Amino acid sequence: MNNPGYSDLGSMQDWDLRVTHLLDHAAREYGHREIVTRWADGSETRTDWAGIRRDALKMTQALRAAGVRKGDRVATLAMNHSRHLVSWYGAVGCGGVLHTINPRLFDDQLDYIANHAEDKVLLYDAVWQGVVDRMKSRWTSIEHYICFDSADHAPAFEDWIGAYDGDTTWDTGDERDPCMLCYTSGTTGHPKGVLFEHRSTMLHAMTGVTPNFFDLDSRSVMLPVVPMFHAASWGLPWAGTIPGIKFVYSAVNDPAVLCDLMKREGVTHSAGVPTVWLAMFNYLDSVGQDVRDVGPLKTAIIGGSAAPKFMIERLMANDVRVAHAWGMTETSPIGTTGAYPWDWDQMEPAAQVELVQKQGRPAFGVELRCVDLDDPERELPRDGVTSGALQVRGPWVIKRYFKAAEDAVGTDNWFDTGDVAVIFPDGTLQLTDRTKDVIKSGGEWISSVELENAAVGHPAVAEAAAIGIYHPRWDERPMLIVVKKDGAEVTGAEIRDYLGGQVAKWWLPDAIEFVDEIPHTGTGKISKKDLRERFRDYKLES
Ligand code: ADP
């Protein structure tokens, strides 16, 4: 890494941007800052940054003894808790690549991703024992199973690492080495792996803490509801080390538990998809309280789907800053957030809410542009009116998917996000539509194309289209629009039963509508735009 061309003039030091520096820093400078976990069984444990590092070093030894070598994938199937945090650093510390698996995926996807990733070790929560039992014979590369919180079926994490003393050093190497793998299950076909590097992760973490983003400092107490298995938990396990924040983890997502923890632990920051905040509101309403009753919450990070107006209004009315963020797994995931503009304090409250509803402005390092939907080289004006395909590039934006033969970017590294947006003259982004054929329900993807393919397998179905319909709790739920074959008779319930055998239960459409004809585009594809327009005001039965 030295710069030989100028070293005779003087130079700066080599210090590779490797994520283990983050934990070393937190343990050294904020060693006693607490990490609290509320476990699924209701018990609570406390450790601190020094303890996380000690355990991660022990885990590094355990992984090496298990034969994990540089670049090998170490997977987790787990909720948010301190041992999961240890395993992030333990996995990368031995030179491995951390692969966080989303337990909500269904069997064929779980089968595909663990085998595609060639995971060597799997660490899991006892609550997912059923998944492990079901999948074990299909997962061909996993050699070691470790259970985070039980010794009933596999070695227990604490016992496993307890056999080591932590007297070791982290793996060293190039800052462009991979450190983490997350699969994103978007449109059609198999999920795709996004491989983060040490350098990209470190730069992303340094941005995550800044005031315009998550606004973390040493006083911050963060309860991340965004799962550690989703989009790298928005980078929080890495970023939180920089100012040595206190983490409060809950292994269950029950709003009563979360509100209780927030109050007792003095939570100042929390992060989650809109569904999470809505569940919290509903709980607070049921007990006659409001957000300000649950403690000193000051920043609510909302992303994954658009934050609705009433949510922003209610949080702001309770003196909580809403950091409305847009990003995707392919962007590590930070892209934009609703940072305060310079004239924020002069703005009327209604104008502030209107601004926060948009997806904000990009972080330093993230470049955005909108291009013509039919011509990805033709950049559109930033006039707040002209919408187009949103493209992004920067040091923590994907170039090539895991094991893919080709790059995923166009000329000059521009990556097509599959989102449709407008950009305002001040750089504010507003999403208006999507070109990718997916439905996002409660922050997780449902592939409309896979639903359609499953539905047309029914002998009475001629054609089927799936679109997302607004749902107050899940943001979107799938609706299936069906054209019957001539003379065939079938009911919505029969189609639903038929789909039940093929897709995950939470993918099943909330509504099935029969039509005579499905609209098509000029190139013969189903016109989702027209369908979304037609069913814009459709109300799902509650
Ligand atoms: P995450 O859920 O963490 O954002 P994903 O990779 O699962 O990561 O999903 C990314 C996609 O989610 C984006 O391309 C966009 O379609 C949608 N999305 C993310 N944030 C927002 C937001 N604030 N408003 C609207 N849609 C969003």
Side-chain angles (χ1 to χ4, degrees), residues 184-185 226 230-231 234 273 302-307 324-330 333 336 357-359 417-419 431 433-434 436 438 440 443-445:
T184 164
S185 48
V226 54
H230 183 99
W234 298 349
V273 295
I302 308 182
S305 295
H324 181 194
W326 166 86
M328 54 198 308
T329 306
E330 286 88 337
T336 65
Q357 266 185 277
K358 302 189 173 95
Q359 277 75 9
T417 62
D419 289 320
L431 296 202
D433 200 0
R434 262 182 225 150
K436 47 191 171 193
V438 283
K440 206 165 195 199
E444 300 288 351
W445 293 117

Side-chain angles (χ1 to χ4, degrees), residues 310-387:
F310 75 90
M311 192 168 282
I312 297 167
E313 281 174 336
R314 180 155 176 185
L315 286 161
M316 284 175 54
N318 280 273
D319 296 326
V320 175
R321 174 202 167 205
V322 178
H324 181 194
W326 166 86
M328 54 198 308
T329 306
E330 286 88 337
T331 66
S332 296
I334 288 178
T336 65
T337 193
Y340 294 139
W342 65 270
D343 55 352
W344 174 262
D345 295 324
Q346 283 87 56
M347 289 167 73
E348 293 295 328
Q352 291 179 336
V353 171
E354 199 185 320
L355 183 69
V356 176
Q357 266 185 277
K358 302 189 173 95
Q359 277 75 9
R361 289 181 294 171
F364 169 72
V366 174
E367 292 177 54
L368 299 178
R369 68 173 190 181
C370 284
V371 297
D372 190 298
L373 283 164
D374 297 318
D375 178 4
E377 304 293 330
R378 193 168 81 80
E379 188 171 346
L380 300 173
R382 294 173 163 230
D383 57 7
V385 182
T386 317
S387 73

Side-chain angles (χ1 to χ4, degrees), residues 99 137 299-300 321 411 414 435 496:
H99 172 205
S137 61
T299 299
R321 174 202 167 205
T411 315
W414 286 107
T435 51
R496 222 167 167 273

Side-chain angles (χ1 to χ4, degrees), residues 21 105 153 326 367 372-373 443 473 478 495:
H21 284 306
L105 300 180
H153 299 274
W326 166 86
E367 292 177 54
D372 190 298
L373 283 164
R473 174 158 182 212
I495 293 181

